[in-house]
Amino acid sequence: MAFQIEEELKKLPARPGVYLMHNDRDEIIYVGKAVSLKNRVRQYFQTSRNKGLKIESMVPQIARFEYIVTDSELEALVLECNLIKEYRPKYNTMLKDDKAYPFIQVTVQEEYPRVLFARQMKKDRSRYFGPYTSAGAVKETIELVRKLYQLRACSKKLPAEQGKDRPCLYYHIHQCKAPCQGWVDPEKYREQVNKALRFLNGNFQEELKELTEKMQKASEEWRFEEAAELRDLIESVKRIGEHQKITSSSGEDRDVIALAEENSEAVVQVFFVRDGKIIGREHFFLKTAPGETRGDCMLSFLKQYYAGTPFIPREILLSDEIEEREVLETWLSGKRGHGVHILVPKKGPKEKLVLLAKRNAGIVLDQDRERLKREEGRTIGAVRQIGQWLGMDPPKRIEAFDISNISGFQSVGSMVVYEKGRPKRADYRKFRIRTVEGPNDYASMEEVLTRRFRRGLEEDAGFELLPDLIMMDGGRGQVNICCSVLEKLGLQIPVCGMVKDDRHRTRGLYYNNIEIPIDTASEGFHLITRIQDEAHRFAIEYHRLLRSKGQVHSVLDDIPNVGPARRKALMKRYQSLDAMREASVEELKQLETMNERAAVSVYEFLHKNEEKEEGKSNAKEEN
């Protein structure tokens, strides 16, 4: 069932992309890029290579890895940057920022737009292209665009400053038509700007053809310096032609959803684009019904996915057409509170982004099919099994509770949540027992359950979602306590107990006054064990935390009528307890915030403790 690193290494594609290393807690500890994923990722696990101290310490912690295929090394570089900023992995010591990558800015909001070099995107209504890795290529391309379309390079505010100065050198060398003098019609100038935008969007074949012809002609006429200049410009255009899908200048939030299918199996890949950047992805394994079309499969996924996800973006890009698009848009717009648009792009950068997601979905389907089946069995399949044992629909949300204490000292309760067979740690809750003294687990559990479900009925933040199934870490007694609490609050939620044998191992489920035996080799059993262990772990960790806090305790904390301000004043004035004991009540009264009542309390408390310590010392001497 575990992730087999050697087997997964064999499935790596020889393509550019980004890889993410996870530890055994499923935390991302490293993000890297590769020209060839197959070659780069394998290097981490080769014993013969000298990896350096950082990699040597990281590799033993890798429990699994995942990867995202891109179309170029450039896209992998920018995606790597986005993911590092999003996840801040432990072993990524060099965190780059977007300002390291240049953009081409076209100031389309101006009456006479300019083409500029920019280090970051701003929300100023300009059009941005990039980011790119070669600043030199960007500068050369900007120069080329200005030459081709005769666009201005000055920073004058036009038309307000028209005619105030003579035209600059660019006019005299025929690289600008002098809009600063009003010698070009704004509409004709805008036509040239539109041509430049099409060029920067990647429609540069005509210009490349023209430049190539000029280069060949210059070469034939032995004008080799001019030919070399044209050759360099052509290379710059080709480099800049790698249009970026990983970062968008729109700065919008969108989900990119693509489907790959084969026979009765399908994988849906979801790319999360936030603020114009791909920051993550998730894939889902689906079982398709006979005769179901791709559109049907996609529609079914969208309904289920967005019914449970808390965030809905403004735009959703799909790889396949669906029916009921307008109805779905209306439903999602209502959930979001603003308009939601569902698109199936046919051309341009959005289509390329969908194709990238589709390609990754195909790779997951081809190479990770068995792993996805195992993962589905461990989660959704296991939940389905539990539902069958209990004679109910598969519970989407399961909550489990446990109590931890040592002889009744500082009792605490824990609540863990599993959704679709996976832990949802953001919904975990811990409780410090308030009303129960001593080791009374039943009374403690009653308090925890009452507080949890009362707050749920009051729709307190973090408690408003109620479970489909409650699992108690015990048999009949714990189940009866839970049922009693639910009955008092007027709630009807299925409750089952996890019954243990003499060796404290789960042997069955107690449900509706019946003990149900379960297959200890099944995925459902393994999920129950994981839930049980997680509830126990979470309670113990909280109890350990409280114990450690309780050990950091000063004698002054126990003095009546002395709070934090007075304790601070005492510690500031006296260097030791002996010095405090030697002080009289009158001296203590002189301290800041101290009154006579508090001073008497300090004096009596310290001298009473002194008598106790003397008694203990005399007893030891007599022995």
Side-chain angles (χ1 to χ4, degrees), residues 398-403 445-446 449 453 469-483 494-500 508-510 528 531-532 535:
I398 298 174
E399 291 183 5
F401 298 83
D402 194 18
I403 300 294
M445 182 61 75
E446 183 177 10
L449 292 168
F453 290 108
L469 175 66
I470 300 171
M471 303 194 81
M472 305 300 299
D473 187 27
R476 183 194 300 266
Q478 294 278 19
V479 170
N480 289 341
I481 289 290
C482 185
C483 290
V495 184
C496 74
M498 296 176 277
V499 184
K500 301 182 183 69
L509 295 176
Y510 182 80
I528 291 169
I531 293 173
Q532 201 170 34

Side-chain angles (χ1 to χ4, degrees), residues 336-373:
R336 184 174 184 266
H338 296 283
V340 175
H341 304 283
I342 299 174
L343 305 174
V344 183
K346 301 299 182 184
K347 61 180 181 179
K350 291 181 180 179
E351 185 207 20
K352 293 178 181 178
L353 195 55
V354 170
L355 290 175
L356 181 67
K358 190 172 182 179
R359 188 176 298 116
N360 278 273
I363 290 172
V364 170
L365 183 62
D366 291 340
Q367 300 185 347
D368 292 355
R369 184 181 288 112
E370 291 304 317
R371 184 175 65 82
L372 283 170
K373 282 184 177 178

Side-chain angles (χ1 to χ4, degrees), residues 324-342:
E324 306 177 20
R325 183 193 296 189
E326 292 182 0
V327 176
L328 200 61
E329 285 180 337
T330 303
W331 174 58
L332 294 176
S333 298
K335 284 175 66 72
R336 184 174 184 266
H338 296 283
V340 175
H341 304 283
I342 299 174

Side-chain angles (χ1 to χ4, degrees), residues 151 234 267 374:
L151 304 179
I234 290 170
V267 167
R374 292 196 301 270

Side-chain angles (χ1 to χ4, degrees), residues 324-595:
E324 306 177 20
R325 183 193 296 189
E326 292 182 0
V327 176
L328 200 61
E329 285 180 337
T330 303
W331 174 58
L332 294 176
S333 298
K335 284 175 66 72
R336 184 174 184 266
H338 296 283
V340 175
H341 304 283
I342 299 174
L343 305 174
V344 183
K346 301 299 182 184
K347 61 180 181 179
K350 291 181 180 179
E351 185 207 20
K352 293 178 181 178
L353 195 55
V354 170
L355 290 175
L356 181 67
K358 190 172 182 179
R359 188 176 298 116
N360 278 273
I363 290 172
V364 170
L365 183 62
D366 291 340
Q367 300 185 347
D368 292 355
R369 184 181 288 112
E370 291 304 317
R371 184 175 65 82
L372 283 170
K373 282 184 177 178
R374 292 196 301 270
E375 184 65 21
E376 187 203 37
R378 292 180 73 247
T379 56
I380 303 298
V383 170
R384 193 181 298 119
Q385 262 187 338
I386 293 172
Q388 290 172 351
W389 291 334
L390 301 179
M392 59 184 292
D393 292 333
K396 180 181 176 183
R397 180 183 174 97
I398 298 174
E399 291 183 5
F401 298 83
D402 194 18
I403 300 294
S404 178
N405 62 65
I406 296 179
S407 300
F409 175 71
Q410 287 186 335
S411 292
V412 298
S414 70
M415 177 185 103
V416 300
V417 180
Y418 275 64
E419 285 194 356
K420 298 180 180 179
R422 297 173 183 269
K424 191 178 181 184
R425 293 184 174 85
D427 285 5
Y428 285 16
R429 295 292 179 268
K430 48 196 177 188
F431 304 84
R432 191 168 183 172
I433 305 303
R434 300 170 180 167
T435 62
V436 181
E437 294 184 3
N440 190 334
D441 284 358
Y442 283 173
S444 298
M445 182 61 75
E446 183 177 10
E447 179 188 328
V448 167
L449 292 168
T450 302
R451 286 163 58 188
R452 184 268 177 267
F453 290 108
R454 183 172 289 153
R455 294 186 67 179
L457 290 173
E458 294 169 356
E459 297 187 354
D460 280 7
F463 290 89
E464 65 273 19
L465 291 177
L466 297 178
D468 303 304
L469 175 66
I470 300 171
M471 303 194 81
M472 305 300 299
D473 187 27
R476 183 194 300 266
Q478 294 278 19
V479 170
N480 289 341
I481 289 290
C482 185
C483 290
S484 173
V485 170
L486 294 176
E487 185 178 354
K488 290 177 184 177
L489 297 175
L491 292 172
Q492 292 185 341
I493 302 172
V495 184
C496 74
M498 296 176 277
V499 184
K500 301 182 183 69
D501 59 17
D502 296 337
R503 298 183 180 181
H504 207 71
R505 295 181 302 187
T506 302
R507 72 178 186 218
L509 295 176
Y510 182 80
Y511 183 65
N512 286 343
N513 297 318
I514 300 174
E515 183 176 324
I516 303 170
I518 56 179
D519 180 6
T520 55
S522 65
E523 291 297 343
F525 171 80
H526 294 311
L527 176 59
I528 291 169
T529 303
R530 289 196 298 273
I531 293 173
Q532 201 170 34
D533 292 343
E534 183 72 350
H536 195 51
R537 177 199 66 79
F538 194 53
I540 288 176
E541 283 188 359
Y542 183 42
H543 188 258
R544 189 178 293 135
L545 175 66
L546 293 181
R547 292 206 317 272
S548 65
K549 286 183 177 179
Q551 290 166 3
V552 184
H553 189 77
S554 167
V555 172
L556 302 183
D557 293 338
D558 297 328
I559 302 178
N561 306 314
V562 175
R566 288 170 178 166
R567 282 198 298 270
K568 186 176 180 181
L570 284 167
M571 289 186 289
K572 187 176 180 180
R573 174 66 179 82
Y574 302 104
Q575 301 300 314
S576 66
L577 283 175
D578 290 337
M580 284 187 207
R581 287 192 185 101
E582 292 174 3
S584 66
V585 173
E586 291 299 321
E587 290 175 341
L588 292 170
K589 281 169 57 179
Q590 304 303 316
L591 293 177
E592 184 181 357
T593 74
M594 192 76 71
N595 56 27

Side-chain angles (χ1 to χ4, degrees), residues 52-194:
L53 288 176
K54 183 180 80 170
I55 303 301
E56 290 284 357
S57 63
M58 179 187 77
V59 170
Q61 299 180 45
I62 299 175
R64 71 178 185 92
F65 59 80
E66 59 175 323
Y67 52 89
I68 302 174
V69 172
T70 61
D71 285 336
S72 67
E73 183 184 6
L74 177 59
E75 288 181 352
L77 179 68
V78 179
L79 179 56
E80 176 197 29
C81 173
N82 293 347
L83 295 178
I84 288 172
K85 288 173 66 177
E86 177 68 18
Y87 295 112
R88 300 185 178 274
K90 177 181 178 181
Y91 288 97
N92 283 97
T93 54
M94 299 299 292
L95 181 61
K96 301 189 182 215
D97 194 79
D98 277 345
K99 65 184 179 183
Y101 304 110
F103 296 84
I104 295 175
Q105 177 188 7
V106 183
T107 59
V108 293
Q109 74 275 20
E110 297 177 343
E111 187 165 348
Y112 294 96
R114 296 168 291 159
V115 182
L116 305 173
F117 181 96
R119 279 292 181 185
Q120 57 184 344
M121 290 191 296
K122 298 179 180 178
K123 295 183 178 179
D124 54 5
R125 295 185 297 157
S126 293
R127 286 281 303 277
Y128 288 89
F129 299 87
Y132 304 101
T133 53
S134 173
V138 170
K139 291 175 181 177
E140 289 177 5
T141 303
I142 290 172
E143 184 180 353
L144 172 62
V145 169
R146 288 171 178 168
K147 288 179 181 179
L148 287 174
Y149 304 108
Q150 298 182 320
L151 304 179
R152 71 186 182 105
C154 65
S155 58
K156 291 181 180 179
K157 296 180 180 179
L158 302 181
E161 297 182 7
Q162 275 183 347
K164 289 189 176 182
D165 295 304
R166 291 182 298 174
C168 65
L169 179 63
Y170 285 108
Y171 169 75
H172 295 291
I173 62 175
H174 307 294
Q175 291 187 19
C176 180
K177 292 188 176 181
C180 60
Q181 304 300 313
W183 295 347
V184 59
D185 182 66
E187 291 185 4
K188 290 185 178 180
Y189 188 90
R190 181 67 65 170
E191 288 177 7
Q192 293 297 98
V193 172
N194 291 336

